[in-house]
């Protein structure tokens, strides 16, 4: 899959919308299949009060819906910033094999250094990466397992039903 400058330009164009659209942030992305854009997204986390509404996630959601599949292994993603751990997970879950990005996470960190971003809790990318890569016992988020048997019975029943179809 060769780099498509037009796809990156579209992602950058989406990103630039944040300069004039309240509740958005300048993180745009597009998903491309066979040279055509099948999904695009802009970070709407503040506007939607949805911390998962990153540009990459929105582009992946749109592509999956457009193509009626969860498998994007024949696609590539173009994004204006190196994706965070959540977006990397979504890219991996949908099996997108190629990613092109503009600014690195370090570039982004430096661009906003010393500024107060309204409406957004401060999240350190290094902490996010560490948390995402840790086992549940190693994470700083307190976690307690409850009702495992009930959940497993439902999972097993669902899996058995799936085997029958």
């Amino acid at each position: 899959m060769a780099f498509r400058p037009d796809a990156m330009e579209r992602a950058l164009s989406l990103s630039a919308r944040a300069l004039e659209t309240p509740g958005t942030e300048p993180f745009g992305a597009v998903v491309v299949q066979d040279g055509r854009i099948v999904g695009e997204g802009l970070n709407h986390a503040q506007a939607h009060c949805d911390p998962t509404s990153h540009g990459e996630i929105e582009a992946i959601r749109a592509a999956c819906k457009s193509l009626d599949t969860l498998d994007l292994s024949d696609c590539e993603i173009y994004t204006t910033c190196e994706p965070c751990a959540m977006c990397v997970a979504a890219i991996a879950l949908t099996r997108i094999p190629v990613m092109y990005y503009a600014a690195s996470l370090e570039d982004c960190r430096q661009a906003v250094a010393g500024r107060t971003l309204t409406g957004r809790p401060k999240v350190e990318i290094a902490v996010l990466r560490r948390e995402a890569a840790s086992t549940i016992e190693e994470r700083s988020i307190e976690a307690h397992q409850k009702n495992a048997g009930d959940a497993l019975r439902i999972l097993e029943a669902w899996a058995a039903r799936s085997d029958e179809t």
Side-chain angles (χ1 to χ4, degrees):
M1 297 181 190
F3 176 72
R4 299 187 52 90
D6 59 319
M8 184 60 82
E9 286 300 320
R10 179 62 184 157
L12 291 164
S13 172
L14 290 167
S15 174
R17 287 186 186 175
L19 299 174
E20 299 171 0
T21 308
T24 62
E25 295 180 15
F27 304 102
V30 297
V31 175
V32 175
Q33 180 192 56
D34 297 327
R36 90 183 159 90
I37 294 174
V38 294
E40 57 182 42
L42 174 63
N43 184 308
H44 287 95
Q46 288 179 325
H48 297 162
C49 292
D50 178 356
T52 69
S53 184
H54 289 196
E56 298 90 345
I57 300 293
E58 294 299 318
I60 289 168
R61 286 176 180 155
C64 287
K65 187 171 184 165
S66 169
L67 299 172
D68 195 29
T69 185
L70 299 177
D71 181 359
L72 301 179
S73 59
D74 59 348
C75 297
E76 53 204 22
I77 190 164
Y78 292 76
T79 180
T80 59
C81 183
E82 176 187 350
C84 72
M86 176 184 68
C87 294
V88 168
I91 291 166
L93 284 169
T94 56
R95 300 178 48 213
I96 295 174
V98 179
M99 171 184 56
Y100 298 100
Y101 67 97
S104 70
L105 284 173
E106 181 58 21
D107 294 335
C108 293
R109 187 189 67 73
Q110 288 181 16
V112 300
R115 293 181 171 89
T116 303
L117 304 177
T118 58
R120 182 169 247 327
K122 184 166 176 55
V123 176
E124 290 295 330
I125 296 301
V127 172
L128 180 61
R129 283 181 169 170
R130 189 171 49 251
E131 288 290 314
S134 299
T135 65
I136 198 158
E137 296 83 14
E138 298 169 327
R139 293 180 189 141
S140 64
I141 301 166
E142 189 174 322
H144 307 276
Q145 186 176 21
K146 305 289 182 190
N147 297 76
D150 296 332
L152 287 173
R153 279 189 289 283
I154 295 167
L155 284 168
E156 289 166 354
W158 175 79
R161 189 187 77 206
S162 295
D163 284 341
E164 296 168 1
T165 57

